[in-house]
């Protein structure tokens, strides 16, 4: 609250003295929903603006990443709604196959049961029951944040309509030869008991062992190195490079495979790097993707040595051992036979882990369903290259192309029970029939549906159009497809964005699913470290909302949102945003108490003071700046612009400069009151998309209108007054310099001192009363002594500091500081004058020293002026 010693009118009864978010936010949100502000009407004549929510997992809860992303999307959609667009923010949740099945299986385990005890039908029913009772808590948390989604349109990736979409596109792809079934090496999770895609594998450096093993005997000896000794039980060859003279005599011959009664061939393959290790590699086609390809080229058999839980199945002494137990046991057996040539422990190497349960992934040969992505990926790449889709920021395009141009066929089948069951029936004689949503599946003896379900990303890849009723040609699909923009993290560019691009272009006759892909970074802690339970730095945004309000959390996140860049966030910053919300509240309340009004048209410019014209000029410049930054998705910059305009220019300068006018009353006070009302009206509307709750309360009270949610977005009127801006900048320079001097002298901000103000050489005469108020200058009085005289920007300010400071002590302090600055100047000057130093020092070091010199010179000038301004006594 700004200081004011004069009497004030009674407070507006509609605005409490303090802003209490907890008492406001929930009620406001429910009012917005009840009034249907967030719903979208496909029959309206307004232009559409569509964004889909990246569907959170049904198992999930709101985390800072969600809050960050939702804040950006909500700000975009609120602004577009205010601009007159028919705005649809499409909500919904993902069934999250593996994650949800794991949750329900853990619940069953508490009862001493497994899913197999229930059977498939009852287990799936149990998952649906869990979903209805416990899933979807994130919806309530989204309301807490203020998400303006069209709740009546909420969808779930396994609801009836979306299931029909999944079946439809599966059958079309199948009939077009783009879905097939084949044995390939896949990533297998022995914990989740399912295949997972390449992008669901997280790689980390693990400490293991590298052992070198002697295969064969005598002249038929080769040494191979491996970190997975247990897989040797499935070796079907040793490979060498065709041009490696060391092994030419062995190519085509068979050698003894240790610990078995088998011999295996030595094959020549160009995949082998003769410079790496011994130049010979073991080939295990059923347990390594590169070995699988070698095996295909040389027609090698595939021997699977582990079951789905990574337990050894090969008959013999190792059968029944877990893969890691088998590893150490086999190495010990090889050592006993004298076949271990070398051992390296620890051997740190990159190992894949399941992104959900963190279990080490096992490459495994398996019969799976695949999408042939070649033509789909080409179309997705072309859509960006020809400009139909824009990736923002542009530098992210290279990452997109690097992925989409080198995409492998997509393994879409998962060995789960929860999910979209693959709509294929297998017949008694090997028949395979894909069934659409309106087709009758084949019946009769020997026919059965495929037991696998589809990868979760298969259904979420249809999200931009399945949520609008596709494959039916609905009014919603016609109105709201394609989406205007997709807002999502760069970390799921490959998971989700690529899938939507491929499916959207395929299903919608070459029309991409969105015009723009706006990529943001990940939220990190205040030190830039990834948030993780392991690090103990995970933050629950609900805790911060309870403590500081949703607006404070939203504004903090928006101020960190630079396109494609990670966002560090700490609680101190949320406190600062809470202070901003309080500043907006208190300053608006003060302004309304002192005559701010929106009644009637703006006064004629000729009736306005320079201060009025200045703030209106700055207001329109801010509107234009914010609009441009919104179009470029520069949330950090536009939030910063709004922060400094509202706090610095409106509240700290315009309101303060206008106080004397308001207190004097009369016609000029009415003019400034109307200008202030206009500035507050527009500023609150500009702030609303990011901080919706506090602005709704203030704006409706100020204007008496229904809701800022459906108010018009401010437009730049084109009004600019450069002369007024220069005049107020001149005033600000005078006030700022004198305030700096006061602070340097140790005066408190509110401490009044006698002062003489001479503005005759400036255009600021009309502002004398305001300047005196801002500088806390008392009238001179008969005993006035000009103990300090400051020439500032053409003005002269004389102050009587007698009795306010300890002059000798202050002179001693300033002299000491100036001496230190002189020493710093001498040292920097000496270094910069040393040619030998300049020739050797890096540019950044030289620049740093130049900066030190410039600062020292500025400090000397400032301190000299302060010493000169001190009283002589």
């Amino acid at each position: 609250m700004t200081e004011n010693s004069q009497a004030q009118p009674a407070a507006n009864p509609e605005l409490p003295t303090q802003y209490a978010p907890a008492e406001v936010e929930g009620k406001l949100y429910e009012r917005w929903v009840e009034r249907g502000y967030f719903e979208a009407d496909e029959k309206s004549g307004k232009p559409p603006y569509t964004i889909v929510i990246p569907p959170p997992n049904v198992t999930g809860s709101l985390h800072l990443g969600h809050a960050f992303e939702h804040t950006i999307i909500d700000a975009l959609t609120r602004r577009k709604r205010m601009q007159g667009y028919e705005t649809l923010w499409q909500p919904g949740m993902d069934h999250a196959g593996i994650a949800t099945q794991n949750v329900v299986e853990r619940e069953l385990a508490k009862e001493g049961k497994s899913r197999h005890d229930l059977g498939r039908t009852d287990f799936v029913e149990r998952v649906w029951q869990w979903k209805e009772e416990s899933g979807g808590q994130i919806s309530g948390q989204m309301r807490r944040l203020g998400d303006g989604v069209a709740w009546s349109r909420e969808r779930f990736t396994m609801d009836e309509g979306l299931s029909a979409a999944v079946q439809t596109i599966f059958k079309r792809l199948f009939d077009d030869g783009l879905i097939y079934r084949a044995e390939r090496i896949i990533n297998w999770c022995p914990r989740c008991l399912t295949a997972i895609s390449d992008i669901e594998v997280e790689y980390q450096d693990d400490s293991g062992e590298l052992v070198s093993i002697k295969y064969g005997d005598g002249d038929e000896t080769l040494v191979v190195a491996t970190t997975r000794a247990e897989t040797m039980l499935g070796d079907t060859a040793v490979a060498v490079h065709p041009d490696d003279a060391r092994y030419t005599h062995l190519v085509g011959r068979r050698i003894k495979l240790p610990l078995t009664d088998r011999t295996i061939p030595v094959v020549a393959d160009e995949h082998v790097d003769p410079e790496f290790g011994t130049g010979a590699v073991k080939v295990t086609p059923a347990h390594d993707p590169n070995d699988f390809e070698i095996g295909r080229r040389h027609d090698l058999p595939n021997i699977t040595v582990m079951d789905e839980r990574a337990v050894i199945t090969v008959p013999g002494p190792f059968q029944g051992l877990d893969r890691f137990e088998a590893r150490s046991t086999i190495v010990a057996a090889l050592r006993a036979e004298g076949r271990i040539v070398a051992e390296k422990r620890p051997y740190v190497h990159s190992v894949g882990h399941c992104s959900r349960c963190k279990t080490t992934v096992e490459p495994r040969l398996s019969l799976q369903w695949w999408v042939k992505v070649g033509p789909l990926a080409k179309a997705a790449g072309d859509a960006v290259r020809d400009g139909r889709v824009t990736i923002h920021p542009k530098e992210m395009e290279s990452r997109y192309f690097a992925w989409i141009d080198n995409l492998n066929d997509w393994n879409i089948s998962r060995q789960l029970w929860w999910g979209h069951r693959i709509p294929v029936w297998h017949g008694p004689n090997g028949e395979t029939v894909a069934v659409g949503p309106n087709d009758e599946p084949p019946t009769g003896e020997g026919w059965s549906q495929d037991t696998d379900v589809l990868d979760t990303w298969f259904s979420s890849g249809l999200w931009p159009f399945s949520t609008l009723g596709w494959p039916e040609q609905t009014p919603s699909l016609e109105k709201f497809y394609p989406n205007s923009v997709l807002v999502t993290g760069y970390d799921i560019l490959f998971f989700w964005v690529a899938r939507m691009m491929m499916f959207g272009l395929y299903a919608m006759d070459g029309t991409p699913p969105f015009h723009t892909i706006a990529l943001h970074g990940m939220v990190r802690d205040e030190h830039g470290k990834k948030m993780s339970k392991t690090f103990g730095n995970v933050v629950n945004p609900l805790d911060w909302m309870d403590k500081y309000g949703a607006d404070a959390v939203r504004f903090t996140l928006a101020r960190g949102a630079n396109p494609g860049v990670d966002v560090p966030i700490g609680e101190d910053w949320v406190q600062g945003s809470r202070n901003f919300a309080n500043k907006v509240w208190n300053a608006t309340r003060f302004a309304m108490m002192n005559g701010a009004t929106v009644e009637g048209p703006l006064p004629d410019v000729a009736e306005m003071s320079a201060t009025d014209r200045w703030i209106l000029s700055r207001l329109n410049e801010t509107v234009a700046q914010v609009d441009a930054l919104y179009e470029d998705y520069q949330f950090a910059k536009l939030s910063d612009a709004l922060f400094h305009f509202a706090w610095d220019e409106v509240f700290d300068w315009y309101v303060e400069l206008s106080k004397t006018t308001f207190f004097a009353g009369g016609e000029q006070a009415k003019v400034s009151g109307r200008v202030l009302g206009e500035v507050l009206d527009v500023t609150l509307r500009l702030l609303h998309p990011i901080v919706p709750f506090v602005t709704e309360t203030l704006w409706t009270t100020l204007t008496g209108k229904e809701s800022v949610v459906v108010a018009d977005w401010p437009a730049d009127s084109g009004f600019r007054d450069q002369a007024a801006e220069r005049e107020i900048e001149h005033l600000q320079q005078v006030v700022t310099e004198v305030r700096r001097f006061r602070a340097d002298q140790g005066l408190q901000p509110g401490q009044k001192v006698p002062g003489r103000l001479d503005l005759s050489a400036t255009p600021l005469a009309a502002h004398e009363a305001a300047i005196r108020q801002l500088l806390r200058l008392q009238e001179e009085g008969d005993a006035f002594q000009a103990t300090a005289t400051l020439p500032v920007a053409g003005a002269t300010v004389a102050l009587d500091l007698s009795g306010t400071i300890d002059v000798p002590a202050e002179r001693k302090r300033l002299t000491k500081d100036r001496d230190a600055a002189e020493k710093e100047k001498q040292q920097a000057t000496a270094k910069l004058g040393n040619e030998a130093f300049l020739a050797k020092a890096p540019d950044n070091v030289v620049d740093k020293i130049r900066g030190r010199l410039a600062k020292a010179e500025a400090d000397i000038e400032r301190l000299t002026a302060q010493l000169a301004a001190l009283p002589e006594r």
Side-chain angles (χ1 to χ4, degrees), residues 585-804:
W585 180 275
N586 292 334
T588 303
R589 182 174 178 274
F590 170 82
M592 292 173 62
M593 290 164 55
N594 287 274
T597 178
V598 295
E599 295 178 5
L602 276 174
D604 189 86
V605 172
E607 301 176 33
M608 297 180 189
S609 67
T611 309
D612 296 332
R613 298 195 306 275
W614 162 73
I615 197 63
L616 288 176
S617 183
R618 291 294 307 128
L619 177 68
N620 280 287
E621 181 61 36
T622 301
V623 171
Q625 181 184 11
V626 168
D627 273 334
L629 291 170
Y630 259 114
E631 295 305 314
D632 200 33
Y633 304 98
Q634 296 281 356
F635 282 90
K637 291 181 179 178
L638 73 88
S639 299
D640 214 45
L642 286 170
F643 174 88
H644 288 295
F645 175 72
W647 191 307
D648 299 344
E649 298 187 88
V650 178
F651 303 141
D652 277 358
W653 283 105
Y654 182 71
V655 170
E656 291 293 326
L657 286 169
S658 301
K659 278 184 179 179
T660 53
T661 302
F662 291 139
F663 298 154
E667 288 304 311
Q668 191 56 53
K670 292 180 181 178
V671 170
S672 293
R674 180 64 188 89
V675 170
L676 179 54
E678 181 75 9
V679 171
L680 290 174
D681 172 13
V682 173
T683 301
L684 291 171
R685 282 186 281 153
L686 288 174
L687 283 167
H688 172 72
I690 298 175
V691 285
F693 295 107
V694 67
T695 52
E696 171 80 341
T697 306
L698 293 173
W699 189 85
T700 53
T701 305
L702 172 70
T703 65
K705 295 181 180 179
E706 179 185 352
S707 174
V708 70
V709 177
V710 290
D712 290 336
W713 180 252
D716 175 10
S717 71
F719 175 77
R720 301 289 191 280
D721 191 323
Q722 299 299 326
E725 290 200 34
R726 287 193 296 271
E727 186 172 323
I728 300 305
E729 286 171 6
H730 196 162
L731 180 152
Q732 291 171 329
Q733 186 179 359
V734 171
V735 172
T736 300
E737 287 300 316
V738 177
R739 280 178 170 173
R740 183 179 292 121
F741 175 79
R742 285 173 53 102
D744 288 339
Q745 304 308 314
L747 297 179
Q748 295 301 312
Q751 185 176 351
K752 294 186 177 182
V753 297
R756 179 185 300 148
L757 189 59
D758 181 1
L759 300 172
S760 58
T762 74
L764 303 179
H767 302 284
E768 181 168 353
I771 293 173
R772 280 187 168 276
Q773 171 68 20
L774 291 168
L775 293 178
R776 303 296 188 262
L777 297 183
Q778 295 175 330
E779 294 299 326
E780 299 173 40
D782 296 335
F784 179 79
Q785 298 180 32
T787 57
T789 302
L790 305 174
V792 182
T796 302
V797 182
L799 304 176
D800 183 354
L801 302 179
S802 58
T804 61

Side-chain angles (χ1 to χ4, degrees), residues 333-412:
L334 289 167
R335 191 183 299 114
E337 288 192 3
R339 290 193 173 273
I340 298 296
V341 176
E343 298 180 65
K344 185 176 181 180
R345 294 190 189 88
Y347 180 73
V348 178
H349 61 129
S350 182
V351 177
H353 296 260
C354 174
S355 62
R356 291 176 177 83
C357 70
K358 311 309 176 187
T359 301
T360 300
V361 168
E362 189 65 43
R364 185 170 188 255
L365 185 64
S366 181
L367 183 62
Q368 301 282 340
W369 288 95
W370 303 82
V371 171
K372 187 182 295 182
V373 300
L376 303 175
K378 182 181 184 304
D382 290 346
V384 175
R385 287 188 170 94
D386 64 24
R388 282 175 290 159
V389 178
T390 300
I391 294 180
H392 187 88
K394 188 173 178 61
E395 53 264 29
M396 286 287 177
E397 279 188 3
S398 59
R399 296 183 63 171
Y400 176 78
F401 291 133
W403 176 261
I404 208 76
D405 293 344
N406 298 283
L407 205 55
N408 295 319
D409 284 0
W410 173 19
N411 171 19
I412 56 171

Side-chain angles (χ1 to χ4, degrees), residues 62-93:
L62 192 74
H63 56 63
L64 268 180
H66 288 127
F68 173 55
E69 186 167 80
H70 290 199
T71 294
I72 294 175
I73 299 175
D74 197 41
L76 288 171
T77 53
R78 285 179 182 269
R79 172 174 175 263
K80 285 296 182 180
R81 189 179 294 114
M82 296 171 75
Q83 287 182 314
Y85 286 79
E86 192 61 44
T87 302
L88 170 60
W89 182 7
Q90 173 67 53
M93 286 183 292

Side-chain angles (χ1 to χ4, degrees), residues 523-536:
V523 178
R524 297 180 177 271
D525 71 12
E526 58 192 306
H527 306 294
K529 196 172 185 178
K530 181 179 178 180
M531 287 192 175
S532 164
K533 291 180 181 178
T534 304
F535 300 146

Side-chain angles (χ1 to χ4, degrees), residues 308-323:
E308 61 183 7
R309 298 182 184 276
V311 172
I312 301 299
T313 56
V314 177
F318 312 112
Q319 187 175 11
L321 294 179
D322 170 80
R323 56 182 164 165

